[in-house]
């Protein structure tokens, strides 16, 4: 695997030039329930590779306190990107919720939708098909559930125009 050595603020850093693959321990030992956190981590790794291959520079904020997962540098601007992924097929479509959990003392746990004050784009990864949707936050409106149909033509495929729409994040 190729390596790039860079000097970042006086500290030498090694950057892996490519990601060749990720291995899961499927079919070995007792069968366990799939871990959604692990699946999200795998999609994050895949996103790093995909965004780099699309010509973006990528930053990953320290910790997980922000509403966004990544910062994409298109050269023209910086984009705050929230990544969602799914592998669950439900009535011929894949679903994700463009929401996050909030806790309020008065009413307990609830969900809130992302706003333009928090993110600039939602990127959705359909893991079984390795298909990506790049959706500007303004297009989400008040949607609480997004359905994607990468395998079939569907008259209700509202989000299909955002499939592999990386040019929207380049400002083209």
């Amino acid at each position: 695997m190729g390596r790039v050595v860079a000097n970042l603020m006086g500290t030498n850093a090694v950057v892996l030039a490519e990601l060749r693959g990720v291995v899961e321990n499927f079919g070995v030992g007792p069968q366990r329930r799939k871990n959604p956190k692990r699946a999200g981590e795998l999609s994050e790794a895949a996103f790093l590779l995909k965004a780099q291959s699309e010509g973006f520079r990528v930053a990953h904020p320290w910790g997980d306190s922000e509403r966004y997962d990544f910062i994409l540098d298109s050269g023209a601007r910086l984009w705050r990107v929230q990544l969602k992924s799914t592998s669950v097929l439900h009535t011929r479509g894949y679903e994700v919720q463009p929401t996050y959990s909030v806790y309020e003392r008065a009413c307990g746990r609830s969900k809130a939708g992302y706003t333009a004050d928090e993110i600039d784009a939602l990127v959705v990864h359909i893991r079984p098909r390795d298909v990506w949707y790049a959706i500007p936050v303004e297009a989400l409106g008040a949607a609480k559930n997004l359905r994607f149909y990468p395998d079939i033509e569907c008259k209700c495929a509202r989000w299909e125009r955002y499939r592999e729409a990386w040019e929207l994040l380049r400002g083209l």
Side-chain angles (χ1 to χ4, degrees):
M1 191 175 303
R3 297 176 143 213
V4 176
V5 177
N7 188 312
L8 303 171
M9 297 189 303
T11 303
N12 287 331
V14 176
V15 179
L16 300 178
E18 58 186 272
L19 177 64
R20 294 189 181 233
V22 179
V23 176
E24 278 285 324
N25 192 15
F26 294 117
V28 177
Q31 293 298 315
R32 296 182 300 191
R33 186 173 155 258
K34 290 184 181 179
N35 182 334
K37 185 159 176 60
R38 170 72 49 85
E41 291 166 350
L42 292 173
S43 281
E44 286 185 353
F47 176 79
L48 287 168
L49 180 62
K50 180 67 174 179
Q52 285 281 328
S53 71
E54 291 291 333
F56 294 99
R57 290 179 295 279
V58 184
H60 192 270
W62 180 258
D64 59 0
S65 298
E66 302 299 333
R67 297 281 181 243
Y68 52 90
D69 295 317
F70 293 95
I71 300 169
L72 287 187
D73 183 349
S74 67
R77 70 168 278 192
L78 299 176
W79 294 82
R80 297 167 300 167
V81 174
Q82 172 62 39
L83 176 64
K84 297 287 186 178
S85 66
T86 185
S87 63
V88 178
L89 187 62
H90 184 267
T91 60
R92 301 183 347 157
Y94 295 88
E95 292 182 345
V96 298
Q97 289 73 42
T99 60
Y100 58 91
S101 295
V102 293
Y103 182 80
E104 298 170 0
R105 255 180 225 256
C107 59
R109 199 171 189 166
S110 64
K111 298 278 186 176
Y114 294 101
T115 69
D117 290 334
E118 299 165 325
I119 67 170
D120 299 309
L122 180 76
V123 172
V124 177
H125 184 211
I126 309 297
R127 289 190 314 270
R129 303 290 173 256
D130 197 28
V131 173
W132 299 86
Y133 293 82
I135 307 170
V137 69
E138 295 83 10
L140 296 174
K144 297 289 184 220
N145 192 43
L146 312 180
R147 291 184 62 87
F148 300 90
Y149 301 92
D151 299 325
I152 60 172
E153 286 193 30
C154 178
K155 291 180 182 179
C156 58
R158 175 179 175 189
W159 308 107
E160 202 54 32
R161 69 181 135 188
Y162 299 107
R163 184 196 288 217
E164 304 293 341
W166 300 102
E167 70 279 0
L168 295 176
L169 302 182
R170 284 190 202 97
L172 302 177

